Amino acid sequence: MEKMTVAEARSPDAAGRSIRLQGWIRTRRDSKGGFSFLELNDGSSLENIQIVADGSLANYESEIRRLSAGSSVTVEGELKQSPAKGQATEVQAARITVHGWSDPESYALQKKRHSFEFLRTLAHLRPRTNTFGAIARVRNQVCRSIHEFFQQEGFLYVHPPIITASDCEGAGEMFKVTTFNLAEVPKQAGQVDFTQDFFDRPSYLTVSGQLEAEIFACALGKVYTFGPTFRAENSNTSRHLAEFWMVEPEMAFYELTDNMDLAESFLKRIVGDVLDRCVDDMQFFNSRIDNTVLETLADVAEQQFERLPYTEAIELLKQSGESFEFPVEWGKDLQAEHERYLTEKKIKRPVILFDYPAAIKPFYMRVNDDGRTVRAMDVLVPKVGEIIGGSQREERLDVVSDRMQQQGLNADDYWWYLDLRRYGTVPHSGFGLGLERVIQFVTGMANIRDCVPFPRTPGSAEF
Ligand code: ATP
Ligand code: MN
């Protein structure tokens, strides 16, 4: 007797084997002929396998006829070719052992369709549904592709700290880390006395591992980070989480166009792998969630991304004749509605916008010769909008120091960052890709809260 997954057992060439399967019942149907059909799922695939349970089984009346959605079982039997449509194989059960019952009166996952809002209140049960099982498998595949891609390209995986003292881009958007008793915070001359706190200074959860990745890129060449990041932005949008995963490659001797080339081939690789390796799950998303998703992904995998300077994008938006809620003006950041117009209506594929106004971008982005724009790039995709943000970094000590001052940052706090420019500085570039935005994009799910196992958003951190 061979232990198999449902995915393996569904393969036509597995027929004839004597097997053991373990999982959860999705449905039971009793036939008038004195036997029952069970649908079993074990998470290995979107699809279930059909179990034929004959009335002659010892526990047929006492147990099998009481099985309901959510019960857990071990099934032993022979894998046969199935006469039914839509499945190559089925199991003729010789023995079914019940591990756990699931009372249909109180079990929250009824057969009817539940809204995603409702399922968010059941984050401990939603992985048992088709949609959330499929999301978990696609998310796993995307993570696998991320590592495979960078490892094959010769990048080193490095780990920046999660607790940081530099508030880089995050002013106001950072979660504080402290061991103070908040009812009695030590003060000195009316100010919080952080010298008495654990780290001797204010500290935070990281919003990005970029600055630390730069340290390693400037020693080892090509590196990437991949881990959780935190932003206390109080925005209840469908594409922001307070805790999300970010991938941040950082490369020495890369200029902005090299950075764009890498971002494009990276996204194409992720999308191509999902299409190749998550066939059933992607069919499911296309038929149940968003019927344009397969076509969109196939286009992304094949077509060249458009590359457009910010200034030209502003012109296109001004000429669009659309009535946007937020005005379009050179020097302002683009809003989601503008990003969507460009990717969905005007250009109809991913767009890489670059050379943004210096005033709306952080100090570390390389200043162009015009003095008013920086070598920033954002990759925008249909529906989701910004999926990647990156730049060529400012490698000139004097320029980066000036930019810090302009932005009101204290250069002393960044002495180590400036040392990278003092000793053996090199042109370098990198970007950040939000994992959950990618999951949202490839699955077509409308809300990013459904693209992470346990969403953290304002007012919500259960589970
Ligand atoms: P946005 O303008 O969409 O809020 P951002 O410009 O603040 O994003 P970056 O600092 O450029 O984001 O971060 C890099 C990437 O991380 C983004 O392109 C996006 O994919 C992802 N990201 C940023 N903020 C969030 C968030 N709150 N939740 C989920 N993903 C995020
Ligand atoms: Mn950005």
Side-chain angles (χ1 to χ4, degrees):
M1 189 136 320
E2 188 184 345
K3 186 169 165 156
M4 267 193 195
T5 64
V6 168
E8 289 161 349
R10 284 181 55 84
S11 157
D13 35 273
R17 311 247 275 270
S18 180
I19 63 162
R20 177 189 297 129
L21 293 171
Q22 300 186 298
W24 294 266
I25 301 294
R26 284 291 178 84
T27 62
R28 189 195 86 235
R29 191 158 53 82
D30 300 327
S31 152
K32 288 210 184 70
F35 58 97
S36 300
F37 294 110
L38 305 170
E39 291 284 327
L40 184 78
N41 191 286
D42 67 356
S44 60
S45 124
L46 180 78
E47 306 293 343
N48 308 321
I49 193 157
Q50 177 167 286
I51 315 289
V52 184
D54 205 79
S56 61
L57 291 171
N59 58 348
Y60 184 72
E61 286 300 334
S62 60
E63 294 194 317
I64 294 171
R65 275 173 61 93
R66 287 170 49 215
L67 287 172
S68 60
S71 322
S72 50
V73 293
T74 293
V75 177
E76 291 165 341
E78 195 190 335
L79 197 60
K80 298 195 152 158
Q81 284 184 345
S82 175
K85 255 180 50 188
Q87 56 189 32
T89 56
E90 62 184 30
V91 180
Q92 181 67 49
R95 196 149 80 129
I96 297 179
T97 313
V98 182
H99 299 284
W101 297 99
S102 169
D103 180 1
E105 292 300 314
S106 57
Y107 188 50
L109 294 182
Q110 299 298 331
K111 223 188 149 191
K112 71 177 174 101
R113 245 177 168 184
H114 299 292
S115 74
F116 294 134
E117 286 80 4
F118 175 67
L119 288 173
R120 267 172 233 149
T121 69
L122 298 176
H124 64 307
L125 296 177
R126 67 178 190 171
R128 303 177 178 203
T129 64
N130 282 335
T131 306
F132 289 89
I135 292 168
R137 284 183 296 271
V138 168
R139 190 177 161 108
N140 175 67
Q141 175 53 54
V142 171
C143 294
R144 203 175 133 189
S145 295
I146 287 167
H147 285 298
E148 282 177 5
F149 176 85
F150 286 121
Q151 293 296 330
Q152 284 165 6
E153 297 283 325
F155 283 64
L156 217 62
Y157 181 29
V158 300
H159 305 90
I162 285 175
I163 299 173
T164 174
S166 65
D167 60 355
C168 176
E169 314 167 64
E173 288 186 359
M174 302 187 84
F175 290 100
K176 296 182 181 66
V177 175
T178 179
T179 52
F180 279 156
N181 170 1
L182 296 183
E184 276 174 75
V185 175
K187 296 220 170 139
Q188 183 69 261
Q191 301 277 332
V192 175
D193 181 11
F194 283 103
T195 62
Q196 293 190 47
D197 204 352
F198 193 93
F199 296 109
D200 222 16
R201 73 204 70 201
S203 48
Y204 312 90
L205 294 180
T206 185
V207 293
S208 158
Q210 177 201 321
L211 302 190
E212 291 88 354
E214 284 188 51
I215 293 176
F216 276 79
C218 291
L220 301 164
K222 296 194 289 186
V223 304
Y224 69 108
T225 73
F226 185 21
T229 46
F230 306 85
R231 296 192 185 178
E233 44 199 345
N234 204 354
S235 52
N236 268 301
T237 77
S238 60
R239 39 177 226 163
H240 288 93
L241 292 164
E243 174 179 326
F244 63 99
W245 278 60
M246 188 143 65
V247 194
E248 294 181 276
E250 189 70 37
M251 300 75 65
F253 306 105
Y254 266 50
E255 301 193 359
L256 192 70
T257 43
D258 306 314
N259 205 20
M260 291 185 199
D261 292 345
L262 183 78
E264 181 167 345
S265 57
F266 177 47
L267 265 185
K268 286 188 154 133
R269 168 67 181 269
I270 290 175
V271 164
D273 282 355
V274 165
L275 288 173
D276 285 349
R277 301 187 194 166
C278 300
V279 176
D280 290 348
D281 292 322
M282 287 311 302
Q283 287 288 353
F284 172 84
F285 289 118
N286 202 63
S287 64
R288 295 296 191 85
I289 304 293
D290 172 357
N291 63 12
T292 63
V293 85
L294 281 179
E295 191 190 333
T296 306
L297 296 194
D299 284 353
V300 170
E302 279 157 28
Q303 291 182 325
Q304 254 207 305
F305 295 7
E306 177 84 12
R307 299 183 185 190
L308 193 66
Y310 166 91
T311 303
E312 283 178 33
I314 292 294
E315 285 312 309
L316 288 181
L317 288 164
K318 280 188 169 161
Q319 291 157 11
S320 69
E322 300 272 319
S323 56
F324 293 117
E325 186 186 338
F326 294 91
V328 176
E329 203 183 310
W330 199 96
K332 285 211 164 120
D333 217 350
L334 296 190
Q335 300 292 326
E337 57 176 344
H338 308 134
E339 297 175 351
R340 294 190 64 164
Y341 168 78
L342 292 171
T343 52
E344 290 167 30
K345 286 195 175 163
K346 181 70 191 172
I347 298 165
K348 297 201 165 86
R349 58 198 154 97
V351 181
I352 308 182
L353 290 187
F354 62 98
D355 287 351
Y356 280 73
I360 56 170
K361 290 291 182 187
F363 70 90
Y364 53 72
M365 297 191 176
R366 193 179 198 280
V367 180
N368 279 312
D369 292 342
D370 65 12
R372 55 204 283 266
T373 60
V374 290
R375 302 243 82 191
M377 62 169 218
D378 277 4
V379 182
L380 315 180
V381 294
K383 300 214 173 105
V384 172
E386 180 187 333
I387 200 165
I388 285 179
S391 67
Q392 181 170 339
R393 317 308 187 188
E394 183 55 75
E395 84 283 12
R396 296 164 295 186
L397 180 62
D398 52 335
V399 182
V400 77
S401 304
D402 286 352
R403 289 267 291 154
M404 278 184 162
Q405 203 178 10
Q406 284 163 20
Q407 300 198 349
L409 295 169
N410 183 358
D412 292 344
D413 294 342
Y414 294 89
W415 62 275
W416 47 272
Y417 190 75
L418 295 175
D419 264 5
L420 302 180
R421 279 74 183 161
R422 262 184 209 111
Y423 307 107
T425 194
V426 289
H428 63 288
S429 300
F431 61 81
L433 168 88
L435 175 64
E436 289 77 12
R437 295 248 175 117
V438 180
I439 305 303
Q440 199 178 359
F441 177 59
V442 300
T443 59
M445 293 294 289
N447 198 313
I448 198 165
R449 295 166 197 211
D450 300 323
C451 299
V452 62
F454 304 101
R456 298 288 176 257
T457 51
S460 151
E462 211 178 354
F463 304 102

